[in-house]
Amino acid sequence: MSRQEPFVIQREVKPLDFLAAGETASDFKETLKSLGISPDICRKASIVTYEAEMNAVIHGGGGVIALELAGDKITIVARDEGPGIENVSLAMQEGYTTAPDSIRELGFGAGMGLPNIKKYSDELEIETELGKGTILRAVILLDYSREEVKSPCPTA
């Protein structure tokens, strides 16, 4: 596999499964590290994935999260068939949350998910439709001039 061929992994996220929440982010981070991606980029991808994963767990009724490494970027796509986001502008504000008290009492749903995804992404798109779900697409750019990719992708 050459650098130009995309590398894709995908994981299912179950609704309200707080025991497994974070496993996708950890899996993606370890995979990127094994591909030689720099620790800074792995950290960004892990934060973006974790926040998207928690949104799927808490709000989206579960979903699917995929990571694609292709060319000079990492793209993380989270899809769910949940209720959708009623007001994306409000949801992007730090501290705004629609998480119920029962979730906040667990220490989740503080309203930092989408703001953190935006902060750690170079590009962010959110497609949402009430009653049908949400597709979040976050891009993290690799800067080859800073040698963020230290070794080539495996050839398997």
Side-chain angles (χ1 to χ4, degrees), residues 2 8 11 35 52 63 65 85 93 95 103 108 134 143 147 150:
S2 75
V8 180
R11 301 291 181 262
L35 294 173
I65 300 180
I85 302 171
Q93 294 179 10
I103 300 297
F108 301 105
T134 300
D143 183 353
E147 297 186 28
K150 295 177 181 172

Side-chain angles (χ1 to χ4, degrees), residues 2-67:
S2 75
R3 171 74 46 216
Q4 299 305 316
E5 295 178 34
F7 175 85
V8 180
I9 53 176
Q10 179 174 294
R11 301 291 181 262
E12 181 181 348
V13 177
K14 295 179 181 169
L16 301 176
D17 186 354
F18 292 99
L19 292 177
E23 289 180 0
T24 299
S26 293
D27 185 28
F28 286 5
K29 181 179 178 181
E30 291 305 313
T31 299
L32 289 172
K33 284 170 59 177
S34 74
L35 294 173
I37 303 299
S38 78
D40 287 348
I41 296 298
C42 290
R43 181 173 172 268
K44 284 180 166 183
S46 179
I47 291 168
V48 168
T49 303
Y50 178 79
E51 296 291 5
E53 186 176 6
M54 293 309 295
N55 282 342
V57 168
I58 295 169
H59 304 286
V64 174
I65 300 180
L67 177 145

